């Protein structure tokens, strides 16, 4: 796989850079800006105006915001609009928004006429450090989260931390969970930066944000380049996610992705400590960071251990009927464990009730 084209451009140069690039790369004759209802008002209309000024033709295709709309019906409506607007294979898609938009737009791009090129412009912290990179696309269904999807790389990813200034605090915290994940599996320095810079992060300090985003982007790109289809080390990015996805689903998505991953990381650490895979000190440090950023580490009351184990058995990461969990041996070092039993999970549920 060739190098990923990811650019982090903070501030006013951003749109200029995007336009120069689009003009020189000839990615599409025209562009469909796929976005959700929130980001449409905040940024998509402005982006369309800027593109128009530069003689770049575009249409906005929006859908109602929220995880509950990351489904086939939304994709079908977007496909309808692409056909109505007469999009062809020499046109392209711009995914402007958070992870939900990126996943839907990427999936649509991968199936419309067997594939249109697409660009990611992430506007949430989670999308900047995680979902916009790596080419995994997906939608949710009654069978579970992200079980329907494709691997389809965006041609380019443009990241501007300025977008975060309008993002609700809750969503910043969601992104922080993924950043803690990156630090825990590959780069403990990130955990130190988080530990020291909470105020700056919540004040949208562009320097600190750019630094953290840059570190996470590098980690994710390296994992993806080494293992695009997730047969090996890319799995480490699922740290906290196996339990997290089950929590998200069982809560009917009232627990958000980052929050669920936070609970998942805290619980898998508890299990790793009980199995002597990880030290209590390291587990406590990660838990203290989650708490510093007001992320949950306990299960919602409605989720029992029986429900959790039931949901885990449907997870797509179950291979040869052996459930795989990513565990941390120490900050920066991850491995896969297949030795975690239902009894381990039940005990952890009690501690995290
Ligand atoms: N493809 C991948 O590799 C991958 C990786 C991680 C997560 N994901 C997926 O990402 C999704 C979660 O992403 P998310 O947390 O970005 O959710 P999201 O896209 O729903 O965005 C969260 C909320 O923030 C709003 N928003 C977005 N940008 C904004 C801005 N700049 N200012 C104000 N509001 C803004 C959105 O309208 C939405 O209401 C999940 O569906 C998850 O499965 C995918
Ligand atoms: Zn995630």
């Amino acid at each position: 796989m060739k190098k990923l084209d990811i650019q982090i451009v903070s501030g006013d140069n951003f749109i200029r850079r995007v336009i120069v690039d689009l003009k020189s790369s000839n990615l599409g004759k025209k562009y469909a800006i796929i976005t959700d209802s929130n980001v449409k008002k905040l940024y998509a209309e402005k982006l369309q105006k800027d593109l128009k000024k530069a003689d770049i033709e575009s249409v906005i295709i929006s859908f109602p915001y929220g995880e509950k709309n990351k489904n086939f019906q939304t994709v079908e409506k977007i496909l309808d609009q692409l056909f109505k607007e007469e999009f062809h294979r020499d046109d392209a898609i711009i995914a402007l928004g958070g992870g939900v938009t990126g996943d839907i737009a990427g999936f649509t791009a991968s199936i419309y006429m067997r594939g249109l090129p697409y660009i990611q412009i992430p506007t949430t912290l989670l999308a900047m450090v995680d979902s916009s990179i790596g080419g995994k696309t997906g939608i949710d269904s009654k069978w579970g989260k992200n079980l329907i999807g494709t691997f389809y790389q965006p041609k380019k990813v443009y990241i501007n931390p300025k977008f975060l200034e309008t993002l609700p605090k809750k969503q910043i915290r969601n992104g922080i969970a993924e950043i803690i994940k990156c630090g825990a599996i590959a780069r403990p320095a990130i955990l130190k930066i988080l530990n020291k810079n909470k105020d700056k992060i919540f004040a949208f300090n562009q320097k600190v944000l750019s630094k953290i985003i840059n570190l996470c982007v590098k980690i994710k790109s390296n994992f993806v380049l080494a293992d695009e289809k997730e047969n090996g080390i890319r799995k480490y990015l699922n740290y906290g996610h196996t339990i997290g996805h089950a929590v998200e689903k069982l809560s009917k998505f009232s627990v958000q992705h980052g929050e669920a991953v936070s609970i998942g990381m805290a619980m898998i650490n508890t299990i790793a400590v009980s199995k002597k895979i990880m030290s209590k000190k390291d587990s406590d440090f990660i838990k203290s960071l989650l708490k510093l950023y007001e992320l949950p580490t306990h299960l919602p009351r409605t989720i029992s251990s029986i429900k959790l184990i039931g949901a885990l058995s449907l997870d797509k990461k179950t291979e040869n009927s052996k459930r795989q969990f990513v565990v941390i041996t120490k900050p920066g070092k991850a491995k896969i464990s297949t030795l975690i039993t239902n009894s381990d999970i039940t005990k952890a549920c009690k501690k995290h009730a």
Side-chain angles (χ1 to χ4, degrees):
M1 204 186 129
K2 73 178 194 331
K3 212 174 153 285
L4 307 176
D5 192 343
I6 303 164
Q7 306 198 25
I8 303 174
V9 192
S10 187
D12 298 337
N13 287 330
F14 180 77
I15 192 66
R16 237 170 292 149
R17 167 73 68 83
V18 174
I19 285 172
V20 168
D21 256 28
L22 292 187
K23 289 227 158 199
S24 65
S25 67
N26 259 332
L27 218 53
K29 280 191 180 152
K30 62 177 184 294
Y31 293 86
I33 304 170
I34 299 183
T35 194
D36 74 18
S37 46
N38 288 333
V39 180
K40 181 183 177 195
K41 282 181 243 146
L42 284 166
Y43 299 111
E45 283 157 1
K46 166 94 174 59
L47 175 65
Q48 189 182 34
K49 268 189 205 146
D50 288 337
L51 293 181
K52 195 171 177 205
K53 269 190 230 154
D55 284 328
I56 299 174
E57 191 187 338
S58 68
V59 296
I60 296 175
I61 302 180
S62 68
F63 61 91
Y65 74 89
E67 182 75 35
K68 68 173 190 304
N69 297 311
K70 200 176 99 172
N71 56 29
F72 254 132
Q73 287 92 306
T74 302
V75 170
E76 207 180 353
K77 281 186 194 152
I78 297 173
L79 291 171
D80 278 347
Q81 293 209 43
L82 289 169
F83 282 112
K84 278 186 199 147
E85 297 284 350
E86 297 182 1
F87 269 71
H88 295 286
R89 293 187 64 184
D90 48 5
D91 299 318
I93 283 174
I94 299 176
L96 178 72
V100 166
T101 299
D103 280 5
I104 285 188
F107 182 61
T108 308
S110 74
I111 60 172
Y112 183 80
M113 294 193 174
R114 297 198 178 80
L116 293 191
Y118 81 115
I119 295 166
Q120 290 268 16
I121 304 185
T123 61
T124 65
L125 185 56
L126 182 140
M128 291 179 192
V129 297
D130 193 350
S131 60
S132 67
I133 300 143
K136 267 197 201 175
T137 82
I139 52 172
D140 305 333
S141 65
K142 66 178 178 192
W143 301 105
K145 239 186 88 73
N146 298 330
L147 292 180
I148 298 166
T150 50
F151 285 98
Y152 193 63
Q153 292 295 340
K155 294 287 181 204
K156 294 184 181 271
V157 183
Y158 297 101
I159 300 176
N160 180 2
K162 273 261 172 208
F163 284 125
L164 301 175
E165 287 176 0
T166 51
L167 195 66
K169 241 184 161 181
K170 192 177 166 79
Q171 301 299 343
I172 298 281
R173 288 202 295 267
N174 266 319
I176 297 286
E178 301 284 2
I179 295 171
I180 293 176
K181 173 194 84 178
C182 281
I185 60 171
R187 193 80 187 259
I190 295 175
L191 303 177
K192 287 191 188 141
I193 299 174
L194 287 179
N195 207 15
K196 279 195 195 143
N197 290 288
K198 183 186 171 191
D199 292 345
K200 284 190 181 163
I201 288 170
F202 279 115
F204 308 108
N205 180 301
Q206 294 291 300
K207 214 171 144 198
V208 175
L209 286 168
S210 293
K211 170 142 184 105
I212 299 174
I213 293 167
N214 196 19
L215 286 169
C216 290
V217 162
K218 278 196 186 133
I219 292 169
K220 180 137 191 202
S221 314
N222 287 342
F223 278 121
V224 171
L225 285 171
D227 174 23
E228 186 185 10
K229 299 278 162 73
E230 199 176 295
N231 300 309
I233 63 164
R234 184 167 178 176
K235 288 182 183 162
Y236 294 168
L237 293 163
N238 295 322
Y239 169 54
H241 279 59
T242 312
I243 293 175
H245 281 155
V247 169
E248 243 183 311
K249 193 172 149 232
L250 291 169
S251 77
K252 301 199 173 70
F253 303 109
S254 66
V255 177
Q256 301 210 341
H257 183 73
E259 296 170 334
V261 169
S262 172
I263 297 169
M265 290 190 285
M267 283 184 67
I268 200 67
N269 289 352
T270 297
I271 295 172
V273 172
S274 75
K275 296 183 93 68
K276 301 204 167 33
I277 299 169
M278 182 188 204
S279 75
K280 179 154 189 320
K281 186 173 150 254
D282 289 340
S283 167
D284 285 347
F285 173 56
I286 292 176
K287 201 198 271 175
S288 74
L289 266 185
L290 297 170
K291 289 200 161 150
L292 178 67
Y293 284 90
E294 294 154 47
L295 283 159
T297 55
H298 285 262
L299 287 166
R301 240 177 283 144
T302 49
I303 301 183
S304 64
S305 57
I306 294 169
K307 278 191 191 162
L308 188 70
I309 289 165
L312 282 171
S313 63
L314 266 178
D315 189 275
K316 68 177 179 295
K317 270 121 210 162
T318 311
E319 265 172 30
N320 308 324
S321 74
K322 269 194 190 156
R323 224 170 13 210
Q324 300 194 342
F325 288 93
V326 181
V327 288
I328 301 300
T329 53
K330 62 177 187 184
K333 284 260 171 297
K335 70 169 194 178
I336 306 280
S337 173
T338 51
L339 301 174
I340 292 169
T341 62
N342 286 349
S343 152
D344 295 324
I345 296 165
T346 305
K347 278 184 213 150
C349 284
K350 279 191 191 130
K351 288 191 181 154
H352 290 263

